[in-house]
Amino acid sequence: MHVEVRGLNKHFGDFHAVKDVNFGITKGHLIGLLGPSGGGKTSILRMLAGLETPDSGDIIFHGQTVNSLPPQERGIGFVFQNYALFKHMTVYENIAFGLKVKKASKTAIRDRVAELVELTGLKGFESRYPHQLSGGQRQRVAFARALAPEPQLLLLDEPFAAIDAKIRQELRSWLRELIERVGITSIFVTHDQDEAIEVADEIMIINQGRLEQKGTPWDIYKEPKTPFVATFIGESTLIESASELKGFEGAGGGKPTKALIRPEYIEVGSLHEFKMASATEQGTVKHLHFRGSEWLVEVEVNGNKLVTYRSLEKETLQVGQGISVLVHRAYLFNDNRSWIQENRLKEDPMPVFI
Ligand SMILES: Nc1ncnc2c1ncn2[C@@H]1O[C@H](COP(=O)(O)OP(=O)(O)O)[C@@H](O)[C@H]1O
Ligand SMILES: [Mg+2]
């Protein structure tokens, strides 16, 4: 199902929880709704589901406004973190529940449950009760139950939040494959960026009720539209004044401008390694972490801690060693705008090594 949301707003008393949110979701896509707690993610989902009424705005499924449709007529399946299974019902009965409500025939129910038990890897568990299952198995029953009535849209609100890290990892790839196989349009809410990046086709970053950016994880990482998005996705260090950095003097035309530095924006080397002395900073190695295929280097420059990677092929650095740091580029922002800027003092796009 194609989903479109236009000008969505929601207040709780005086509090403006969802602020003029607009987006469209292509049929069959899995969208990650990512953002800090309290940002409005659950409120958006609840409005899509019809469990909450928007103050203004339209929710459009398949080109049809559904604002006045009750939840059960919207063709939606839910899996919520604490949307418990029915304790007194077996796995079979839990999965069959939605079909019984719809008054499907006994044979239709039996066939559909068998299909879902197969799809979710729950064969042999049909007659167990929820307390006889692990957390991961229970969430799989919750998925099967949500999918049974063949919804057009699947809403998942932090479905793995209560599950151990290791199992959560397995469930992520399992979910990704399941949704691909079923081909259902899905929205997956999480506050965990790794989870969103791994699972979703596209991510929507939600902060303080606003949709800050929508795009593929790579697009968002590469071209963050707001400082919030830049700091929220990926690793970075914030430098209060960009002008302090060599090659970035006067950045922002004299307006106070901050710089965000990602690990791949900088390069470190022993003092004789770079030729472009005018463009390099002096720093001290604070920590070195061997990561199997490279070094993760923490370096202090003018009181700022920067993090970067260094190839194993290069000369090995030592903790406490004075080194050169070349800031190739930085993500700069002030009150007006944000942009990525190259180091102006670099004569050459590539550093020259001796
Ligand atoms: N029913 C409600 N009544 C009052 N405030 C609410 C209600 N639901 C959510 N809120 C408030 O709206 C904000 C957004 O909440 P929510 O949508 O649950 O965010 P998220 O899911 O991103 O953590 C929070 O500050 C929350 O306290
Ligand atoms: Mg929530």
Side-chain angles (χ1 to χ4, degrees):
M1 173 159 77
H2 182 269
V3 174
E4 190 149 345
V5 162
R6 288 191 200 144
L8 200 64
N9 278 284
K10 179 73 190 173
H11 288 80
F12 293 109
D14 289 341
F15 184 72
H16 200 173
V18 176
K19 298 170 184 157
D20 198 32
V21 166
N22 294 279
F23 60 83
I25 302 176
T26 311
K27 186 169 184 274
H29 272 204
L30 170 53
I31 300 295
L33 217 55
L34 175 67
S37 185
K41 305 182 295 297
T42 296
S43 303
I44 294 172
L45 234 52
R46 288 176 59 82
M47 286 190 274
L48 287 173
L51 300 171
E52 205 77 73
T53 313
D55 298 337
S56 61
D58 283 319
I59 297 169
I60 302 155
F61 293 166
H62 269 322
Q64 226 182 355
T65 305
V66 297
N67 289 38
S68 50
L69 275 191
Q72 64 275 18
E73 286 172 31
R74 291 192 184 193
I76 284 178
F78 306 89
V79 180
F80 288 163
Q81 176 194 334
N82 48 10
Y83 194 56
L85 298 175
F86 304 117
K87 289 196 186 81
H88 57 287
M89 290 187 193
T90 61
V91 167
Y92 184 98
E93 290 162 345
N94 265 284
I95 301 174
F97 181 79
L99 300 167
K100 276 201 183 138
V101 171
K102 280 182 135 186
K103 304 211 175 352
S105 74
K106 264 214 159 93
T107 15
I109 294 178
R110 203 187 49 217
D111 292 350
R112 182 72 180 142
V113 175
E115 195 183 327
L116 283 158
V117 158
E118 190 76 48
L119 189 72
T120 53
L122 289 164
K123 215 170 164 124
F125 292 88
E126 293 91 333
S127 49
R128 291 213 191 173
Y129 286 89
H131 75 271
Q132 297 170 312
L133 301 172
S134 70
Q137 286 166 340
R138 261 179 268 177
Q139 273 316 61
R140 284 194 271 153
V141 178
F143 278 105
R145 184 176 62 178
L147 289 172
E150 302 189 56
Q152 302 279 298
L153 174 66
L154 188 60
L155 301 177
L156 313 158
D157 196 354
E158 314 225 13
F160 306 145
I163 291 169
D164 298 346
K166 194 173 171 299
I167 309 284
R168 201 157 70 208
Q169 182 76 37
E170 288 170 17
L171 280 171
R172 274 185 212 170
S173 15
W174 174 83
L175 175 71
R176 163 95 252 177
E177 278 171 29
L178 177 78
I179 287 179
E180 238 160 54
R181 216 171 328 151
V182 177
I184 185 172
T185 311
S186 307
I187 306 180
F188 180 96
V189 168
T190 178
H191 60 265
D192 177 338
Q193 57 157 292
D194 293 338
E195 198 162 88
I197 287 170
E198 191 178 318
V199 170
D201 294 313
E202 271 197 307
I203 293 179
M204 293 199 272
I205 310 272
I206 309 285
N207 184 39
Q208 296 185 353
R210 287 192 193 286
L211 171 56
E212 298 240 347
Q213 192 166 358
K214 175 173 179 282
T216 66
W218 174 234
D219 284 341
I220 289 179
Y221 183 82
K222 204 170 48 172
E223 281 172 38
K225 292 221 170 81
T226 65
F228 174 81
V229 171
T231 46
F232 198 71
I233 294 282
E235 200 167 340
S236 60
T237 303
L238 183 67
I239 310 248
E240 282 300 318
S241 170
S243 288
E244 282 172 22
L245 295 166
K246 283 190 183 168
F248 296 89
E249 294 88 349
K255 250 183 160 309
T257 298
K258 297 181 187 190
L260 206 126
I261 314 281
R262 294 211 194 270
E264 67 275 18
Y265 290 177
I266 66 173
E267 198 168 344
V268 292
S270 52
L271 290 174
H272 61 267
E273 222 173 284
F274 297 118
K275 269 187 173 166
M276 295 163 291
S278 60
T280 57
E281 307 279 350
Q282 300 304 301
T284 310
V285 178
K286 286 289 170 193
H287 290 286
L288 284 167
H289 307 277
F290 178 57
R291 303 239 300 196
S293 55
E294 64 196 352
W295 290 102
L296 183 75
V297 185
E298 265 181 60
V299 55
E300 192 174 306
V301 177
N302 300 328
N304 293 304
K305 275 224 176 72
L306 301 176
V307 174
T308 190
Y309 310 112
R310 182 167 166 89
S311 158
L312 299 179
E313 316 251 301
K314 292 189 181 157
E315 189 185 317
T316 308
L317 302 174
Q318 306 293 331
V319 172
Q321 184 182 345
I323 56 166
S324 294
V325 179
L326 178 59
V327 180
H328 284 283
R329 71 191 64 83
Y331 176 84
L332 304 180
F333 62 93
N334 54 34
D335 294 344
N336 283 356
R337 61 191 189 110
S338 62
W339 68 103
I340 290 178
Q341 188 169 308
E342 296 293 318
N343 186 321
R344 290 197 179 115
L345 294 174
K346 274 195 324 178
E347 305 107 294
D348 213 302
M350 291 297 290
V352 181
F353 299 102
I354 297 169

